[in-house]
Amino acid sequence: MSDRPSEAAKLLATSDLHVSHAENREIVERMQPTSHEDWLLIAGDVGERVADIEWALGLLSERFARVVWVPGNHELWTIKEDPVQLRGEERYHYLVDLCRRLGVVTPEDEYPVWHGVDGPVTVAPLFLLYDYTFRPDGVVTKEAALEVAHSAGVVCTDEYFLHPEPYESRDAWCRARLEITERRLAALDRHMPTIPVNHYPLVREPTRVLYYPEFALWCGTERTADWHLRFRAKTVVYGHLHIPRTTYHDGVRFEEVSVGYPREWRRRGHPRGVLRQILPFPAE
């Protein structure tokens, strides 16, 4: 594997593969690079069961020159159908070890540098979670925001399956991840642009189009609102919203790259494909 790809190489991205669905599993089975030097960024939610995650990441790591993975909320669920019953941080580190055995880059590894066209650029896989700060207008506390969401009948399944041990809460785990990650990003070469890859958007604006606005509570944190500027993002890659599109915030390109559930993509299709080209910058 070369760290200096040719002009044919592409930096591609996808997320929210949800391979527990047979039709999505077929999509992953058909995923192919455009050249043997292509990298693939996976912005979380491969699946819930460890066996499914291992299958998908193992298959893709055999096909792409480098695979970079960040966890979504679904990988961190502990469901009764999964023989691996680890919770919280212990589950996350189990998945990190799995990825390392497969040769997949994780948020715990050294950030790789893409040297292809429109590089060099540091690819920064992030694991940040959320802290309930994407609240409805006029709501100032987490407790009040959760009450609004419950009243609207909008409650993320994380509240039942995503356990934060050893932290006291998911937002406490988020705070710890923010501190760790901020230090790492601040230590990077200040002359090198970055491609942050996170399951959740780094800014709140993409959540404004959610059909159920209360769901934004489980979609990120206000503490990263300026990270795309502070850490020189060339493009921010994320998923989670199941609304694949390109937006710009402060002049920075944001790519939501999710495949989504079959009921969603059957309706809208995949007009931009299931692998989004991040670099070289595609013609728009």
Side-chain angles (χ1 to χ4, degrees):
M1 178 182 67
S2 172
D3 279 336
R4 296 187 178 276
S6 70
E7 291 188 3
K10 292 182 174 64
L11 184 62
L12 304 170
T14 191
S15 76
D16 296 78
L17 301 176
H18 295 292
V19 299
S20 61
H21 297 270
E23 294 137 299
N24 283 31
R25 199 176 183 94
E26 292 172 4
I27 288 173
V28 173
E29 288 174 339
R30 294 195 299 269
M31 285 182 173
Q32 295 286 347
T34 64
S35 82
H36 70 278
E37 298 174 301
D38 288 356
W39 288 19
L40 179 62
L41 314 178
I42 304 176
D45 277 7
V46 174
E48 298 81 28
R49 296 174 63 251
V50 168
D52 287 338
I53 299 166
E54 182 174 13
W55 170 81
L57 294 181
L59 177 70
L60 296 171
S61 65
E62 291 174 356
R63 294 178 178 176
F64 289 82
R66 180 165 290 183
V67 172
V68 177
W69 165 85
V70 302
N73 52 315
H74 282 243
E75 280 102 338
L76 299 174
W77 286 2
T78 305
I79 59 173
K80 60 181 175 56
E81 295 83 3
D82 190 354
V84 179
Q85 287 292 295
L86 298 174
R87 293 182 170 213
E89 192 171 58
E90 192 174 8
R91 182 177 183 86
Y92 169 59
H93 286 296
Y94 182 93
L95 293 172
V96 168
D97 289 342
L98 168 65
C99 286
R100 287 172 171 168
R101 292 197 299 272
L102 296 172
V104 173
V105 179
T106 79
E108 304 309 305
D109 298 314
E110 182 179 352
Y111 295 156
V113 176
W114 167 263
H115 287 283
V117 175
D118 290 327
V121 59
T122 299
V123 176
L126 312 180
F127 168 41
L128 301 177
L129 283 167
Y130 50 82
D131 60 3
Y132 304 94
T133 52
F134 288 179
R135 299 168 187 154
D137 292 340
V139 178
V140 296
T141 67
K142 167 188 170 181
E143 292 72 23
L146 284 169
E147 185 176 342
V148 170
H150 278 269
S151 297
V154 179
V155 181
C156 183
T157 309
D158 290 4
E159 296 294 315
Y160 308 102
F161 294 139
L162 202 167
H163 305 285
E165 288 94 342
Y167 299 93
E168 63 181 3
S169 63
R170 283 170 287 277
D171 39 319
W173 193 4
C174 176
R175 288 192 293 273
R177 291 302 312 180
L178 286 164
E179 292 171 6
I180 292 167
T181 307
E182 191 170 18
R183 285 197 299 269
R184 288 193 66 188
L185 292 172
L188 292 174
D189 182 347
R190 293 181 180 274
H191 302 289
M192 181 84 73
T194 65
I195 302 281
V197 184
N198 189 47
H199 185 57
Y200 309 96
L202 296 183
V203 297
R204 183 171 184 179
E205 284 81 356
T207 71
R208 302 291 186 186
V209 298
L210 288 171
Y211 188 78
Y212 297 104
E214 297 84 0
F215 189 74
L217 271 180
W218 295 275
C219 293
T221 168
E222 296 284 4
R223 283 187 55 182
T224 59
D226 65 348
W227 280 24
H228 58 297
L229 298 175
R230 284 179 58 201
F231 301 120
R232 307 167 302 284
K234 198 164 192 173
T235 299
V236 176
V237 175
Y238 70 101
H240 188 58
L241 304 185
H242 294 200
I243 307 173
R245 60 180 181 148
T246 304
T247 56
Y248 288 83
H249 307 283
D250 303 304
V252 178
R253 175 180 165 222
F254 279 62
E255 291 283 0
E256 209 281 7
V257 297
S258 58
V259 171
Y261 298 124
R263 68 175 183 270
E264 295 166 330
W265 58 254
R266 282 196 213 103
R267 182 177 65 252
R268 57 172 162 76
H270 294 114
R272 305 181 66 181
V274 295
L275 296 176
R276 189 76 54 82
Q277 183 173 320
I278 305 303
L279 295 179
F281 278 114
E284 295 184 359

